[in-house]
Amino acid sequence: MEVYRQPIVVSEKADHSPLTLADQQAHHLIVQHLTRLSPALPILSEEDTAAFSGADAQGRYWLIDPLDGTKEFIKRNGEFSVNIALIEQGRATLGVVYAPDLNICYRAACGLGAQKIDEHGHSHTLKVAHYEGQRPWQVVGSRSHAGDAMPASLEKLGEHQCIAMGSSLKLCLVAEGSADVYPRLGPTSLWDTAAAQCVVEQAGGQVLTLAGQPLSYANTQQLLNPYFLVVGHSDQDWPALFKFA
């Protein structure tokens, strides 16, 4: 937030994505504290993938995005987050998504449910929405990565309203019941989704590939996710709706 309040200097990574001092400083701070918390657990961070040699013998590792939504950070619209997940056997079993400028935090762990800590410090249990057909579908999409692949499927869906949001907060909108579905038909990386996937799943939702399988974090040789759908509770066959993509 110190960086956020000053003129933001932006550089470019090899993949042409933006990088700020906040990405780097957050990375070092988080790695320092996770190492102190659990010295034996490997850490895979967006800002230093070369330091990661693989999960431990039990299939565990930390997966972090020190600043998710760097484009939103640069725009200063508040829709950026810090994502920290614990992966066990390819599944996110603990997840924290913190939005520093909004001062809200989503957290979840297997068997402990999911909660949102609001800007006043109050905790709210999260449950996905149950869609029963008496209102328009609420569809969340990316503010900075809107694609061309969705309009045909959404037309088949019927009456719907679109909600724009940045970073992994899109998944959290499904988790808290503010949206019914978030279709992502564009590139993302493992660290973009893991923490929020835990929140969604512990709130009763799903994060599915277009083949209908839960998004997995087992293969760290492949850092890019397949296209996926984040869904609440309904009778809609979401993978079938987006099967063309």
Side-chain angles (χ1 to χ4, degrees):
M1 292 306 293
E2 291 176 8
V3 176
Y4 191 64
R5 296 186 188 104
Q6 305 296 325
I8 300 173
V9 178
V10 182
S11 58
E12 194 175 82
K13 298 184 189 179
D15 63 0
H16 305 297
S17 62
L19 178 70
T20 72
L21 186 61
D23 296 80
Q24 298 166 307
Q25 289 185 343
H27 160 78
H28 290 298
L29 185 64
I30 293 166
V31 168
Q32 174 188 345
H33 284 277
L34 288 181
T35 300
R36 188 176 301 158
L37 176 68
S38 53
L41 283 187
I43 299 172
L44 174 54
S45 168
E46 177 181 14
E47 302 311 331
D48 189 6
T49 58
F52 181 71
S53 58
D56 72 3
Q58 287 75 45
R60 301 174 302 175
Y61 66 96
W62 291 108
L63 180 55
I64 65 174
D65 190 341
L67 175 52
D68 183 30
T70 302
K71 290 183 179 179
E72 316 308 329
F73 182 87
I74 294 166
K75 294 174 186 174
R76 288 194 173 90
N77 65 15
E79 296 175 6
F80 56 91
S81 62
V82 178
N83 304 337
I84 302 177
L86 176 64
I87 307 300
E88 300 184 80
Q89 300 296 330
R91 182 186 180 196
T93 58
L94 178 151
V96 176
V97 177
Y98 177 54
D101 190 49
L102 304 177
N103 195 27
I104 57 175
C105 181
Y106 297 88
R107 65 185 186 187
C110 286
L112 298 177
Q115 300 89 35
K116 176 183 180 180
I117 312 301
D118 66 22
E119 64 273 22
H120 305 295
H122 301 141
S123 177
H124 308 270
T125 299
L126 298 180
K127 294 294 180 186
V128 297
H130 283 234
Y131 183 82
E132 298 176 348
Q134 293 153 356
R135 56 171 174 77
W137 293 98
Q138 302 299 302
V139 182
V140 65
S142 174
R143 191 178 295 282
S144 293
H145 301 277
D148 300 323
M150 276 201 292
S153 288
L154 294 182
E155 195 171 308
K156 290 187 288 183
L157 180 61
E159 188 179 3
H160 63 275
Q161 296 175 341
C162 292
I163 308 165
M165 179 61 70
S167 74
S168 62
L169 296 173
K170 294 183 288 292
L171 290 88
C172 295
L173 290 184
V174 176
E176 70 180 23
S178 298
D180 300 300
V181 59
Y182 163 39
R184 183 55 185 247
L185 309 182
T188 58
S189 298
L190 301 181
W191 44 75
D192 292 319
T193 55
Q197 180 169 349
C198 184
V199 175
V200 170
E201 291 177 344
Q202 295 305 306
Q206 296 176 287
V207 182
L208 304 172
T209 68
L210 299 189
Q213 300 300 313
L215 211 55
S216 171
Y217 303 90
N219 181 11
T220 55
Q221 298 301 307
Q222 174 54 266
L223 297 177
L224 289 179
N225 289 319
Y227 292 173
F228 63 86
L229 308 165
V230 184
V231 300
H233 186 275
S234 72
D235 294 329
Q236 176 66 49
D237 185 346
W238 293 110
L241 189 70
F242 290 91
K243 64 182 178 181
F244 74 94

